[in-house]
Amino acid sequence: MWDLAQRMGGQVRVVPGGVVGWDMTAALAMADALGVSALAAAEMLPALEAAAVTAINKQIGSEHG
């Protein structure tokens, strides 16, 4: 699952000034391609997404003062 989360860096949904989430269609397709259980991905990706979005937006905020 961690490998999948790390690959999601290019699959983000953005608005001016920040990231709003991951493209979950792409996430589930990637999970399938990697042999990750769809059930496990559906259960775990939202929590990983929330943490990633918070961290990315915090980084964006610190870079733009």
Side-chain angles (χ1 to χ4, degrees), residues 7-25:
R7 293 170 189 252
M8 289 304 298
Q11 305 300 324
V12 293
R13 296 187 182 269
V14 297
V15 296
V19 173
V20 294
W22 285 340
D23 180 341
M24 286 299 180
T25 301

Side-chain angles (χ1 to χ4, degrees), residues 1-2 5 22 24 36-50:
M1 188 59 64
W2 182 246
W22 285 340
M24 286 299 180
V36 175
S37 159
L39 176 60
E43 287 287 333
M44 298 175 81
L45 282 175
L48 294 170
E49 174 192 37

